Amino acid sequence: MNKSISKNPISRRLFLKYSAFISATIAGPIFFTGCDVDPVTGKKQLMMVSKQQEIGIDKQQSSFQFSSDYGITRDAKINQYVSDVGKGLLPNVHRPDMPYNFQCVNATYINAYAFPGGSIAVTRGILLKLDNEAQLASLLGHELGHINARHIAEQISKGRLSSLLVSGLSIAASSQGSGVGELTQQLGMLGQGLLLSRYSRDNEREADYLGNEYMVKAGYPSKGFVGLMEMLDSLHKENSGTAQVLFSTHPMSAERLSSAVQREKGVYQYTKDYPLNRERYMDNIAFLRAKKEGIELLQQGEKYLAKKEYDKAENTFKKSINKLKYDYTAHVLMSKCLMLRKKPAKALAYANTAKKLYPAEAQGYYIAGLASSELKKYGKAYQNFVKCDELLPGNPQMTFYKGYCLDKKSDTKPAANNYMAYLKMINYQPNKYSKYAYSRLKEWGYAK
């Protein structure tokens, strides 16, 4: 018997007891009581999260969100351009000492988001909707507004944010599917926007005001901010499915657009002759614009997936791959679709191609692991889950899957070690995976 886990066997009573204290055990270490000075207003505010804790939350969570968005683009020109525009705003922000970074992620849905320590990302989908550099600066300025006004830290302090407080992403572990035997349902790894803050309308007003200020001070015309608001208002009225996450995290209203127009005609009227830099924007995203038709097919395919119209989704993804032969996201989405259509062998082929296209990104290995498990190739599945865990450490679900594969190979001791590690990582939170892991540990004599 393995001494590392048999020394203190867990009982069912203890398992259930621990689950009742999840909020305290997870959230507790993050908080401290105290007042701070609002970096924007200069007034005292109740703030229970320090700067270092904001940075820590960012480091812990942003990499998982980036991966759920199919990783950071490998188009170095676009990523450098987004970063350069973002950095051009930093001399004007209220918290210049934060470790800011700006990324373009491969997701095709329309969104931009920020984490509290300075990480900001835009999707390929939203870049295709923007018309000029001034709009991009407005978008990044808005996200900088959230960070500088400490909106995420404010939500944590008021007890309004839960997903960012969960150690090791246990929320993701409990929301990914319907059971151990239905691995094909756990294809999102993390849902779009799962780890993102949901801002209030007041938060949005303040971020708009700050973003407008930052971009104007950087030399852009305020009409660029109006253009951004007009584009968002149009998407909101269309009820665009590709912008659903955007509006769930960033509430849109006619007031936001009208306020931008008022600022343009009033306090920022002097910027009317500043350049929008449209040509420079179009030149820098030229390679992405060449992929527009294929990306729009991916967006349509994801709509079919959401409706569970898997045959239409597969056909649409196939058309997209014909246009985007070397696109990582296209191959991962096709592999997910094929898994949902219960075609694991074909899914594995696309996942393996995705791994070759982007070997440093985790989702290809994740889907390959699920497909291999469905095919009862548990050794291969285990290798893929190990690699996924190396690339994106800290997700307890990978620890469970490693245990599951070892379990199926009858490697009881290492399987038990992984199951126990999984339970500890999620603080014994009850879900179908933890119950399965506990039942196996009990069968093997590692639990009472």
Side-chain angles (χ1 to χ4, degrees), residues 120-372:
I120 293 175
V122 297
T123 65
R124 292 191 296 177
I126 201 165
L127 288 182
L128 287 171
K129 285 292 183 181
L130 300 179
D131 188 61
N132 53 63
E133 187 175 295
Q135 289 182 8
L136 175 59
S138 302
L139 181 67
L140 298 177
H142 175 92
E143 298 305 328
L144 283 168
H146 285 305
I147 296 170
N148 280 267
R150 304 192 73 189
H151 288 155
I152 301 172
E154 179 184 86
Q155 290 183 48
I156 296 172
S157 298
K158 292 179 179 178
R160 293 178 181 171
L161 198 63
S162 59
S163 63
L164 288 176
L165 304 181
V166 180
S167 176
L169 308 180
S170 59
I171 279 183
S174 65
S175 67
Q176 282 185 343
S178 54
V180 175
E182 297 181 36
L183 297 178
T184 57
Q185 300 303 310
Q186 301 137 37
L187 299 176
M189 192 167 190
L190 301 177
Q192 288 180 343
L194 175 67
L195 299 174
L196 304 183
S197 179
R198 269 62 174 168
Y199 298 113
S200 68
R201 291 189 182 276
D202 284 342
N203 290 158
E204 288 300 280
R205 290 187 192 99
E206 186 172 26
D208 282 348
Y209 172 79
L210 292 171
N212 207 160
E213 178 184 340
Y214 296 156
M215 59 88 75
V216 162
K217 286 185 175 180
Y220 296 101
S222 192
K223 62 183 173 184
F225 202 95
V226 172
L228 172 66
M229 290 297 109
E230 288 175 339
M231 183 271 285
L232 294 178
D233 187 59
S234 176
L235 287 173
H236 192 248
K237 289 176 179 176
E238 291 171 10
N239 195 23
S240 171
T242 56
Q244 184 177 356
V245 175
L246 171 65
F247 295 127
S248 71
T249 57
H250 296 75
M252 186 59 197
S253 65
E255 178 202 352
R256 290 181 64 191
L257 172 56
S258 64
S259 294
V261 172
Q262 287 174 13
R263 289 192 296 268
E264 181 200 6
K265 293 180 177 179
V267 65
Y268 296 134
Q269 186 179 11
Y270 68 91
T271 70
K272 62 181 180 179
D273 294 324
Y274 288 7
L276 289 168
N277 293 330
R278 186 176 190 275
E279 287 188 12
R280 186 160 68 192
Y281 182 78
M282 292 301 172
D283 286 346
N284 276 280
I285 70 159
F287 188 65
L288 177 60
R289 287 191 295 116
K291 296 182 176 182
K292 184 176 181 180
E293 190 175 349
I295 287 174
E296 287 175 344
L297 285 168
L298 291 181
Q299 292 172 337
Q300 185 61 53
E302 288 192 272
K303 289 180 184 178
Y304 286 135
L305 278 186
K307 295 177 183 178
K308 298 185 179 181
E309 297 178 5
Y310 301 133
D311 56 338
K312 291 181 180 178
E314 182 180 345
N315 288 333
T316 305
F317 290 143
K318 191 173 295 183
K319 291 177 184 177
S320 177
I321 288 173
N322 286 337
K323 295 182 178 297
L324 305 174
K325 186 176 180 181
Y326 302 109
D327 191 83
Y328 171 79
T329 306
H331 284 80
V332 172
L333 282 168
M334 176 62 103
S335 64
K336 289 181 180 182
C337 181
L338 290 167
M339 285 291 286
L340 290 165
R341 298 205 72 190
K342 302 187 185 302
K343 300 178 180 180
K346 289 185 177 181
L348 181 59
Y350 280 98
N352 283 335
T353 299
K355 284 158 52 177
K356 293 176 182 176
L357 290 172
Y358 200 160
E361 215 294 300
Q363 278 209 62
Y365 298 94
Y366 180 78
I367 307 301
L370 294 180
S372 297

Side-chain angles (χ1 to χ4, degrees), residues 428-448:
Y428 305 91
Q429 177 178 348
N431 61 55
K432 294 190 176 184
Y433 308 105
S434 62
K435 290 175 182 177
Y436 180 88
Y438 174 79
S439 69
R440 296 298 281 162
L441 290 168
K442 189 174 181 180
E443 287 177 33
W444 297 332
Y446 293 117
K448 295 178 182 178

